[in-house]
Amino acid sequence: MGLEKTIVRNMSRIEARKLGLALMIGCCIVILTYFVSMSETTVDQQLSVAYRVGTAEVVEGKISLEKPERLRKGGHGNTAEEKVHHSNFSAISHMTAKEEKRESKKPKDEEILPPKREDERSQTMKPKVVEPICDFSNPRTEFCEMTGDVRIHGKSSSVVFVSPHQRSNEWKIVPYVRKQMGNVEKVSVRTASSPQGVPECTINRSVPAIVFALGGFTGNYYHDFTDVLLPLFLTARQFDGEVQFLITNIQVWWLHKYDPIMKRLTRYEFVDLDDSNQVLCHPYVMVGLRFHNDLTIQPARAPNGYSMIDFTAFLRSAYSLKKAHAISLREHPDRKPRLLLVARNGTRRFTNVPEIVQMAEGLNYEVVRADADFGDVAGFASVVNSCDVIMGVHGAGLTNLVFLPMNAVLIQIVPCCELEGMATHTFGFPSMAAGLNYLEYNISVEESTLLELYTREHPVFTDPQSLHKQGWFKMGKLYLVKQNVKLDVNRFRPFLLRAMDLLGR
């Protein structure tokens, strides 16, 4: 009996072990079958889901950014990194195409699509942005630029920009840097979405064109530069002569006066728009001139980062001026610096020139007395460029600072009364931007010839602002037209000594 119990107990243990082993083998077979089936049927699906979720945010963005970068650099995907990236992208795209065909058979509610990002949704909702062709943000000027099918008809003073991306619109533009000028004819600038009803081209050009006016204050030496020549440089120099000028209110004598400058800015004949009945077509047209401020360039806003130093270097080149830098008294202590005394013949002239010359020569200056001849810009530019210091009463003659060599000194004598702000704006800031040293001498009431017309207690001297508030023309008639200067040489002497110190650095 005891033996039977032992045999039964041993048999039950063996059966339990067999059963556990069988269960273990069965589970292994089921798991193995599952993985084999998964490897055969869902590899494409896994890659596709990974691509569509990841690509929408990473892969597509990376490709769209990297491919243009390679094109900009002139490459063709030849680096090892680019080859790997391109190969992976092609493989994933192939997998995705296969899976999309498979998923297209599913009901729409079963499709698994990555949600669009917020910025993607906003981009698809935004209409195409069309850049404005005209800029009215500058309080002084109006400026338009157009690229594409641009047609200009001179006699009607009209410019038409044909583009399917533009709505029909029209503006009246003053092609001069002072848009309030009543003596400058306006030009019509309009857009058209199709060429229907637009004049057909009679002359086609392959170079850009600039439409601008000669008028306003042109003829005044200062305004010639600040209103036309510098803005024209700022607008046209970037084309290195490959640009044509279409001019309204053309002044042939003016163009001859500044012929060396104009020939450096364009290789093409000027077009008198007012006398042209042709329809001129150019691929790129600007109406008006770029303008930052009076006789000033702001490099951050200028094409190619042009500056006042670039402008004055351009002028020295145009007039073949030899002197690029003022004398260095540190290197040549035995030489005399040349001092140009701008002797105005009209208003704001010096009344004691011989006394000024004697004082300057006593300080070891070589004094040059000269004033510009109306038509001989080249001749006077050569005289200015030969000098190291220029001094004169506030006026158009100081515009010649643009021909001075680098590091030269400009001394502006400012008439009374309270004209310092205007004087600094007109010639102080431009001269410093041009790489010159600037000194400003404000005359005393005793140095003004207005004392011969008014008593010392007159508001002209005691309350200048009361006259400034009456407007530019009344103020100018008094302080700029009636006033001459009798320079106090003893009071002025330290300025000439200071100029020598600046040349000796």
Side-chain angles (χ1 to χ4, degrees), residues 355-370:
E355 190 178 1
I356 298 170
V357 172
Q358 183 180 5
M359 182 266 295
E361 290 177 341
L363 295 175
N364 206 37
Y365 278 99
E366 178 186 349
V367 181
V368 179
R369 292 177 55 184

Side-chain angles (χ1 to χ4, degrees), residues 476-495:
K477 185 177 180 180
L478 174 63
Y479 291 121
L480 300 180
V481 176
K482 292 184 178 182
Q483 185 170 198
N484 295 316
V485 175
K486 184 178 181 180
L487 200 65
D488 183 337
V489 294
N490 292 323
R491 184 170 179 260
F492 183 71
R493 186 190 307 271
F495 285 79

Side-chain angles (χ1 to χ4, degrees), residues 295 308-313 315-316 323-327 384-385 387-391 397-412 426-439 498-499 502-503 505:
L295 208 60
M308 277 296 291
I309 291 176
D310 294 315
F311 178 58
T312 55
L315 293 178
R316 288 196 297 270
K323 195 170 180 179
H325 296 276
I327 189 175
V384 174
N385 181 251
C387 295
D388 307 292
V389 181
I390 181 174
M391 63 171 285
L398 294 184
T399 308
N400 288 290
L401 67 89
V402 296
F403 300 120
L404 284 171
M406 290 283 291
N407 202 45
V409 183
L410 169 66
I411 308 176
Q412 179 174 201
T426 307
F427 297 115
F429 295 140
S431 64
M432 290 184 280
L436 305 178
N437 295 291
Y438 176 69
L439 298 175
R498 174 60 178 156
L502 293 171
L503 295 173
R505 289 180 175 177

